[in-house]
Amino acid sequence: MKEARFYTPTEDGAECRLCPHRCRIKDGGRGLCRSRECRNGKLYALSYGKPCALAIDPVEKKPLNHFMPGTHCLSLSCTGCNLSCRWCQNSDISQVEPEQVESGEWSPEELVNAARRNGLPSIAYTYTEPFTWWEYMFDIAVLAREKGLKNILVSAGYVEKEPLHELLPYLDAANIDIKAMDDAIYRKYCGASLAPVLENILMMHEAGVHVEITNLLVTDLNDSEPQVSALCRWMVDGGLQDVPLHFSRFFPRHRFTDVGPTPKSTLLKARDIAYSLGLKTIHLGNI
Ligand code: SF4
């Protein structure tokens, strides 16, 4: 447990300034992401140093198809997410309290040493929402950079500007998941909002981070032609036509078990739309 950055003490607890939810947390309470707790007016990052998942993955699995292709990365995760997507593919570690999952104890130094010992050129912050364990990610990223390793972020991009800005100099690549080009879907199905995500993608791209975007096409929810076109148009208008876009196939998970997998034809059609609107690089995932 480590004292959190980005919070303001309040009369009866603390206001977290890490993500746009801006949770006002009373003493003894936790934020929406379940990973920050207020004790005696101070906010703490509960899962600091306690990864619940640690693996060696091909970088393409992140997915990043155009950043150090053919290499592997040390992938790590702590519990917590500030979104609540009903189709979450990792809900067993993202939508739980830290105490509900078995975790190891790894200092940033031990993790960076493990990556180097295994000859891995990069570390990926992934599986859950890394911004909800910002302090741990940041400390590892600074050390990794010092030792010549690359830092990879896999995220939904729902974070405030200040913590993102502070992390940016250490970030080499990111895959950001856009849930839908529809704020109503974000609010109803993910418990978040669209605008900060889009702003943050542009901010990362402008800072020179290698960005790829993922869009999970959920059957009959966000897979319509207008939705796909809106995403592609936004990318082209924002100068992101060279940014690789991954359309990913949905499979029933979590609270969306009565929805069928995305038809393959939907993904092929999305790819056609994206190319026709001027995007350069499209990948189809989970097929
Ligand atoms: S990071 Fe967690 S505690 Fe902080 S505002 Fe976001 S959801 Fe709330």
Side-chain angles (χ1 to χ4, degrees), residues 221-266:
L221 187 91
N222 63 354
D223 60 349
S224 67
E225 201 210 316
Q227 287 263 339
V228 170
S229 298
L231 170 59
C232 299
R233 285 209 181 88
W234 172 78
M235 287 180 66
V236 171
D237 292 348
L240 307 181
Q241 58 274 12
D242 293 324
V243 166
L245 173 61
H246 301 251
F247 289 116
S248 195
R249 189 180 187 207
F250 161 83
F251 284 95
R253 287 277 169 83
H254 193 37
R255 293 159 68 195
F256 254 42
T257 49
D258 53 351
V259 178
T262 326
K264 286 184 191 171
S265 58
T266 303

Side-chain angles (χ1 to χ4, degrees), residues 113-229:
N113 285 342
R116 296 176 79 203
R117 215 171 37 243
N118 284 280
L120 302 169
S122 61
I123 297 182
Y125 312 94
T126 180
Y127 305 137
T128 59
E129 177 47 67
F131 281 121
T132 66
W133 30 283
W134 188 96
E135 295 79 4
Y136 190 38
M137 169 168 62
F138 182 79
D139 287 355
I140 299 167
V142 170
L143 199 59
R145 171 62 63 84
E146 209 179 287
K147 302 291 182 191
L149 304 181
K150 306 288 186 196
N151 288 304
I152 296 171
L153 170 72
V154 183
S155 164
Y158 195 63
V159 67
E160 287 285 32
K161 299 289 173 290
E162 192 187 355
L164 175 58
H165 189 259
E166 206 162 307
L167 181 71
L168 275 181
Y170 303 97
L171 212 51
D172 297 288
N175 186 302
I176 306 298
D177 190 354
I178 295 181
K179 307 293 177 183
M181 283 303 280
D182 183 338
D183 194 58
I185 291 180
Y186 260 89
R187 288 178 191 277
K188 181 171 178 183
Y189 295 96
C190 304
S193 59
L194 172 62
V197 177
L198 301 184
E199 290 164 12
N200 290 339
I201 290 174
L202 293 175
M203 193 167 153
M204 287 183 219
H205 187 250
E206 275 159 25
V209 175
H210 171 89
V211 175
E212 301 193 19
I213 292 173
T214 292
N215 181 214
L216 181 78
L217 292 174
V218 182
T219 316
D220 294 333
L221 187 91
N222 63 354
D223 60 349
S224 67
E225 201 210 316
Q227 287 263 339
V228 170
S229 298

